């Protein structure tokens, strides 16, 4: 207790001395000549820096020659959001680019604490007014905000070596989780003209599909989720083996088996943007009759009329050529209804790393659909019948879901299940009729040989034996 009291008294004395020194300097500052005042100020700053036990690091909102918004500032802002709402006394609602909603951040001149590896640090926010206007391509306010990190000097190496990297990485992860994802397409908007007509257009991606709502075999679904999780954690592994951080998936199966829903679930699981690559886009422009007769404009129009297609060689170069190493991680997904019609070069090993067959609805997938569409968590008396029918009826999850969907406010669970049973029975009947028809076409009546009929073959053998015996 004596030691603690002594240390406290020592720092109190130092603080009092520094305060007195600052007061004395303020008074003398009015009477000293400028050159002497500058020298004394330099020595005072050195003395304060020697006695002051903390270091401070400032992170301004804008940086660089063009005064672009600092990525470090945005990452720190995202990192401090959770701590801010829990401990700060003065908050403000702030908007962050591409964020789904407003977030709460600490107000100006507010201070909060954070702990990293047992070391306590202080974060504060502030702003400075711009004295002179500066040219920038990026819009700014009249005040430049900043975050300031304060920590004891003996923890400098911990902060500079690990803590700052930690908050920047965590801030980027939080931004990815909170941002509004987008769906891009290489088919430009119809309202775009000039140089913009060749750009990607996008809309906000708000598809609700997840792996929890995806109707497919649970074992296969878990296999896909595990594969995606392993990929997201494989940055160092891909770098070690000298391979771009990407993975290719091939989804194949009949229409309605959930290929598009699978892609949406993957995007939501990974928090990725989606790029929908249309391989045969074609620009179509309306022309006035007068322009068609103008030779000077005819050449330009002919060039614009050429289809803007993605070639196979260009696509393959993007998938695993030199361009595949550019940018961050990516998932490349191909979908097809007829896998046998694809070019073998497109789906060879190394380009399509994992092939996933999207098949017809199984009983486990049906139970998930019954829970999603009807809120049916318990077994139903018609479940055994549905299970038996799904073993022989080739019905897609989309068709099963359509039959489970209530068509009116009077449709209850029982009626929806009965509708599905009736549809499955009808599907089995039609499939059987189709098979019989196909069998009749392939084997016309009266064209069978006796060897193909076991009964006729046995009779023929018996006749030969009787003839020999006679």
């Amino acid at each position: 207790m004596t030691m603690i009291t002594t240390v406290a008294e020592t720092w109190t004395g130092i603080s009092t001395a520094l305060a007195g020194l600052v007061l004395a300097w303020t008074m003398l500052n009015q009477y000293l000549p400028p050159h002497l005042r500058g020298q004394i100020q330099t020595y005072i700053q050195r003395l304060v820096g020697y006695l002051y036990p903390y270091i401070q690091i400032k992170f301004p909102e804008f940086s660089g020659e063009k005064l672009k918004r600092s990525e470090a500032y945005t990452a720190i802002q995202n990192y401090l959001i959770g701590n801010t709402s829990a401990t700060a006394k003065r908050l403000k609602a702030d908007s962050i680019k591409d964020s789904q909603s407003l977030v709460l951040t600490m107000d100006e001149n507010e201070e909060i604490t954070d702990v990293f590896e047992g070391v306590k640090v202080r974060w504060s926010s502030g702003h400075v007014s711009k004295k002179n206007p500066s040219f920038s391509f990026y819009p700014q306010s009249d005040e430049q905000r900043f975050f300031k990190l304060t920590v004891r000097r003996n923890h400098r190496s911990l902060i500079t070596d690990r803590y700052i990297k930690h908050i920047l990485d965590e801030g980027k992860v939080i931004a990815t989780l909170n941002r509004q994802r987008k769906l891009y397409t290489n088919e430009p908007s119809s309202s775009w003209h000039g140089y913009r007509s060749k750009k990607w257009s996008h809309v906000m991606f708000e598809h609700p599909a997840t792996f929890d709502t995806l109707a497919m075999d649970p074992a296969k679904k878990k296999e896909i989720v595990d594969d995606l999780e392993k990929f997201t954690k494989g940055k160092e592994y891909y770098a070690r083996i000298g391979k771009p951080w990407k993975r290719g998936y091939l989804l194949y199966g009949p229409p309605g088996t959930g290929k598009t829903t699978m892609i949406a679930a993957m995007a939501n699981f990974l928090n990725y943007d989606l790029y929908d690559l249309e391989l045969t886009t074609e620009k179509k422009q309306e022309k006035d009759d007068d322009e068609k007769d103008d030779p000077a404009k005819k050449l330009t129009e002919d060039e614009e009329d050429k289809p803007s297609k993605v070639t196979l060689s260009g696509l393959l170069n993007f998938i695993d050529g030199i361009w595949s190493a550019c940018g961050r991680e990516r998932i490349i997904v191909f979908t097809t209804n007829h896998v046998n019609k694809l070019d073998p070069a497109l789906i060879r090993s190394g380009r399509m790393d994992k092939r996933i067959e999207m098949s017809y609805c199984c009983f486990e997938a049906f139970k998930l659909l019954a829970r999603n569409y009807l809120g049916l968590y318990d077994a139903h008396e018609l479940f055994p019948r549905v299970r038996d029918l799904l073993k022989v009826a080739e019905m897609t999850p989309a068709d099963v879901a359509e039959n489970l969907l209530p068509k009116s406010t009077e449709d209850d669970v029982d009626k929806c299940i009965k509708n599905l049973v009736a549809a499955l029975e009808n599907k089995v009947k039609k499939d059987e009729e189709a098979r019989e028809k196909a069998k009749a076409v392939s084997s016309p009546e009266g064209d069978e040989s006796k060897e193909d009929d076991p009964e006729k073959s046995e009779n023929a053998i018996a006749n030969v034996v009787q003839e020999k015996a006679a």
Side-chain angles (χ1 to χ4, degrees):
M1 182 64 70
T2 303
M3 180 181 297
I4 296 176
T5 302
T6 303
V7 172
E9 291 176 350
T10 301
W11 279 114
T12 300
I14 294 176
S15 300
T16 303
L18 289 175
L21 184 61
V22 171
L23 179 61
W25 165 247
T26 303
M27 296 176 63
L28 291 174
N29 191 36
Q30 302 177 3
Y31 305 103
L32 294 176
H35 68 281
L36 184 58
R37 190 165 50 208
Q39 293 180 358
I40 295 177
Q41 186 175 3
T42 301
Y43 285 113
I44 290 178
Q45 290 177 346
R46 291 180 181 178
L47 178 60
V48 173
Y50 178 77
L51 296 175
Y52 190 63
Y54 298 94
I55 61 171
Q56 294 180 336
I57 305 175
K58 183 183 291 186
F59 299 88
E61 182 179 8
F62 297 95
S63 62
E65 295 181 357
K66 297 182 180 180
L67 293 180
K68 183 179 179 181
R69 184 180 175 90
S70 170
E71 294 183 2
Y73 180 91
T74 303
I76 294 171
Q77 185 180 42
N78 290 324
Y79 176 82
L80 296 177
I81 285 174
N83 203 340
T84 295
S85 59
T87 61
K89 297 180 180 179
R90 294 183 296 113
L91 304 170
K92 66 176 180 179
D94 202 356
S95 61
I96 300 179
K97 183 180 180 181
D98 292 333
S99 180
Q100 298 187 50
S101 59
L102 289 175
V103 296
L104 295 177
T105 59
M106 66 174 124
D107 202 358
E108 308 297 346
N109 301 316
E110 179 68 354
E111 184 177 282
I112 62 173
T113 60
D114 188 27
V115 178
F116 179 74
E117 296 186 7
V119 175
K120 182 181 291 187
V121 302
R122 297 200 309 269
W123 283 100
S124 61
S125 63
H127 70 275
V128 293
S129 299
K130 294 188 297 184
K131 297 181 180 179
N132 299 317
S134 58
F135 174 77
S136 173
F137 291 102
Y138 304 92
Q140 305 176 52
S141 63
D142 294 334
E143 297 178 338
Q144 180 168 325
R145 300 178 295 178
F146 62 85
F147 288 115
K148 183 166 61 177
L149 170 63
T150 304
V151 66
R152 297 186 69 89
R153 287 191 298 183
N154 56 325
H155 299 307
R156 175 193 287 266
S157 59
L158 171 69
I159 299 303
T160 57
D161 294 344
R162 298 197 296 276
Y163 179 64
I164 293 179
K165 183 180 184 303
H166 166 72
I167 61 174
L168 295 181
D169 292 341
E170 288 295 316
K172 292 178 181 179
V173 171
I174 294 173
T176 300
L177 295 175
N178 294 335
R179 71 184 175 86
Q180 176 65 60
R181 291 183 298 280
K182 297 183 179 70
L183 170 62
Y184 294 85
T185 176
N186 64 321
E187 186 172 358
S189 172
S190 58
S191 62
W192 289 3
H193 302 284
Y195 78 96
R196 296 190 66 197
S197 62
K198 298 181 180 180
K199 285 192 171 185
W200 290 75
S201 59
H202 73 270
V203 295
M204 295 302 174
F205 178 71
E206 298 176 337
H207 200 294
T210 65
F211 279 104
D212 292 334
T213 61
L214 183 63
M216 68 181 304
D217 180 69
K220 182 182 292 186
K221 189 191 304 187
K222 184 180 184 303
E223 178 185 341
I224 298 170
V225 171
D226 292 343
D227 190 79
L228 292 172
E229 285 184 338
K230 184 177 180 181
F231 171 78
T232 59
K233 301 174 182 177
K235 181 177 182 179
E236 290 77 12
Y237 172 78
Y238 280 86
R240 180 168 58 84
I241 65 176
K243 187 176 180 180
W245 191 13
K246 66 178 182 62
R247 190 156 179 81
Y249 288 81
L250 174 63
L251 308 182
Y252 64 95
T257 52
K259 296 185 289 294
T260 301
T261 306
M262 167 70 77
I263 295 175
M266 294 170 70
N268 286 328
F269 179 77
L270 297 168
N271 290 296
Y272 283 6
D273 287 330
L274 274 173
Y275 288 79
D276 182 20
L277 184 61
E278 174 58 47
L279 300 183
T280 56
T281 58
E282 183 171 342
K283 294 165 55 178
K284 298 179 180 179
Q285 299 180 353
E286 297 181 357
K287 303 177 180 63
D288 296 333
D289 293 335
D290 294 339
E291 290 182 341
K292 293 181 180 179
D293 298 331
D294 188 344
K297 295 180 179 179
K298 187 67 171 63
L299 180 60
T300 303
E301 291 171 358
D302 289 342
E303 290 295 322
E304 292 178 348
D305 284 344
K306 291 182 179 179
S308 176
K309 295 183 179 180
V310 178
T311 64
L312 178 60
S313 60
L315 181 61
L316 297 182
N317 188 48
F318 172 77
I319 294 175
D320 62 357
I322 194 67
W323 284 101
S324 65
C326 301
R328 299 184 58 189
E329 74 272 21
R330 64 174 64 92
I331 296 286
I332 301 172
V333 184
F334 276 82
T335 64
T336 181
N337 298 334
H338 308 284
V339 66
N340 295 329
K341 294 183 179 181
L342 293 181
D343 192 307
L346 189 62
I347 60 175
R348 68 165 176 79
S349 299
R351 285 178 176 153
M352 293 297 106
D353 304 293
K354 190 172 184 63
R355 301 187 181 192
I356 303 172
E357 180 180 7
M358 307 298 291
S359 57
Y360 295 103
C361 188
C362 63
F363 183 64
E364 293 298 326
F366 154 74
K367 290 194 296 184
L368 178 61
L369 291 172
R371 184 171 72 243
N372 293 341
Y373 281 75
L374 304 176
L376 187 58
Y377 289 85
D378 299 325
H380 190 275
E381 60 181 3
L382 290 177
F383 272 20
R385 179 59 177 162
V386 173
R387 180 180 60 246
D388 294 339
L389 288 170
L390 286 175
K391 291 179 180 178
V392 293
E394 294 182 342
M395 183 173 285
T396 66
D399 289 334
V400 172
E402 179 60 29
N403 284 283
L404 288 176
L405 185 68
K407 303 302 188 296
S408 69
T409 56
E410 298 178 355
D411 289 355
D412 56 8
V413 172
D414 291 339
K415 185 173 182 179
C416 292
I417 297 294
K418 290 178 181 178
N419 289 340
L420 175 62
V421 171
L424 287 170
E425 291 174 344
N426 187 47
K427 183 71 167 60
V428 171
K429 182 180 178 180
K430 288 185 176 180
D431 290 345
E432 182 63 26
E433 292 176 352
R435 283 192 293 268
E436 291 295 332
K437 185 176 180 180
K439 183 178 179 181
V441 171
S442 61
S443 301
E445 188 176 346
D447 191 38
E448 299 89 357
S449 63
K450 293 182 179 181
E451 289 74 15
D452 294 336
D453 190 336
E455 185 176 354
K456 292 182 179 179
S457 298
E458 292 176 0
N459 292 335
I461 294 173
N463 292 332
V464 172
V465 173
Q466 290 177 0
E467 291 175 358
K468 289 184 177 180

